Each structure stands twice: as C-alpha cells, then as structure tokens.
Amino acid sequence: MSGSVFLLLVILIYISSGQQNVPPSGFRCGGRNYDKSKCCTAATPCRDGEGDCENSEECRGDLVCGRNNCKQFGSFYHEKDDCCAKPNFGSVYIWGSWGAWK
C-alpha cells in the first residue's frame, strides 16, 4: 500500500470515529476552547452535551451540570469543561434494571 493511500485510509477512519475537533453545527456552547465569554447561563441554559456550565440552573429542563464530563461529547472540549447531561438517578443506575416479578 502506498504512503498516500495509507494516509487517506487513516484520515477516513479518524473522521468516521465520531469524535469531533470542532463543535458540531447547531451547538450554541462549545466549552472554554471555543467560547470566549460565558455561554451557559440561567437566562440562556445549555442543552444536553453543551458546556461549560457552573451549576444545574445553567442547564435546560431536567438536565444537570456534570463535572469534567464534556470530553464524552466531543474532543473539542477542554478536559476541565462541565457539560449539561441527563441525570442518572435511582436504583437503575446503582443496582441495574428492575426484573420481572417471579
């Protein structure tokens, strides 16, 4: 395999891996690496996967402000960014799913 074909293959695999180095189209808040001013606020709360939030009041609806969790939403985030995300409450998260009664 020639060097240029190999390089093209590596680039295509990286692009298809799902991680993005820039916020996707439609993202309003992309963390401290892209937003020069405060983006998530109580007046303009962030959506799921957006950050950098300081508390859950800066997140839309029932979302909660995570802690250093933004990298799961994209590699464009700073490692210390906190993103709004769906909460994981109750026994389903701690003990597993409820089974059928026997």
Side-chain angles (χ1 to χ4, degrees), residues 19-23 27 29-35 49-54 66-83:
Q19 287 293 318
Q20 298 180 340
N21 290 320
V22 296
F27 252 46
C29 298
R32 70 184 78 189
N33 289 337
Y34 287 91
D35 298 320
E50 292 181 334
D52 184 31
C53 55
E54 299 302 321
R67 184 162 185 236
N68 301 335
N69 67 329
C70 286
K71 282 287 193 183
Q72 68 180 322
F73 298 107
S75 61
F76 55 88
Y77 281 112
H78 186 275
E79 65 185 21
K80 299 274 186 184
D81 281 343
D82 306 324
C83 278

Side-chain angles (χ1 to χ4, degrees), residues 9-86:
L9 183 60
V10 169
I11 291 171
L12 289 174
I13 290 170
Y14 177 75
I15 290 171
S16 66
S17 70
Q19 287 293 318
Q20 298 180 340
N21 290 320
V22 296
S25 176
F27 252 46
R28 191 177 56 80
C29 298
R32 70 184 78 189
N33 289 337
Y34 287 91
D35 298 320
K36 301 300 179 209
S37 61
K38 182 81 174 123
C39 190
C40 299
T41 66
T44 56
C46 282
R47 298 175 293 188
D48 190 19
E50 292 181 334
D52 184 31
C53 55
E54 299 302 321
N55 56 59
S56 295
E57 287 76 36
E58 297 179 349
C59 297
R60 187 178 285 180
D62 292 335
L63 300 175
V64 295
C65 184
R67 184 162 185 236
N68 301 335
N69 67 329
C70 286
K71 282 287 193 183
Q72 68 180 322
F73 298 107
S75 61
F76 55 88
Y77 281 112
H78 186 275
E79 65 185 21
K80 299 274 186 184
D81 281 343
D82 306 324
C83 278
C84 296
K86 295 174 184 152

